[in-house]
Amino acid sequence: MKILEIHASTGKSNLMIGEKFQNLEKYIPENTIIITDTNVRKLFQNDFPKCEVIEIGTGESIKNLDTIKYIFERLVEL
């Protein structure tokens, strides 16, 4: 696996090239919440780490303020 460190004005991110999605749990902090769309969840939910998941729909029509409102409401609930 190769790790690229990306520095931006808002902080640092690590891009892990060649790492398996199944190993995600090793890299995320406790109390992580995954925000994903229906298709990705359907394909990978068995590989998601044990954490809360907020699922949204798919496609361009879902990219709107109602979806943002839904995500924020779920975050507050959790």
Side-chain angles (χ1 to χ4, degrees):
M1 173 180 65
K2 183 176 182 180
I3 299 176
L4 296 177
E5 231 177 58
I6 300 168
H7 297 272
S9 60
T10 56
K12 178 184 88 162
S13 295
N14 290 323
L15 180 61
M16 295 171 212
I17 301 169
E19 179 61 291
K20 293 181 180 181
F21 186 75
Q22 294 85 351
N23 294 332
L24 179 62
E25 196 163 15
K26 291 193 301 189
Y27 303 103
I28 60 173
E30 288 185 36
N31 300 319
T32 294
I33 299 171
I34 293 175
I35 302 172
T36 186
D37 72 29
T38 306
N39 290 336
V40 172
R41 188 172 192 182
K42 201 180 305 180
L43 291 170
F44 297 105
Q45 70 182 358
N46 293 335
D47 296 323
F48 281 0
K50 290 168 185 58
C51 60
E52 297 289 340
V53 176
I54 298 174
E55 181 180 324
I56 60 171
T58 59
E60 292 300 311
S61 64
I62 202 69
K63 297 175 184 176
N64 58 53
L65 292 176
D66 288 334
T67 301
I68 298 295
K69 180 182 175 203
Y70 169 73
I71 291 169
F72 281 139
E73 287 172 348
R74 289 288 294 131
L75 288 170
V76 169
E77 287 174 17
L78 296 170

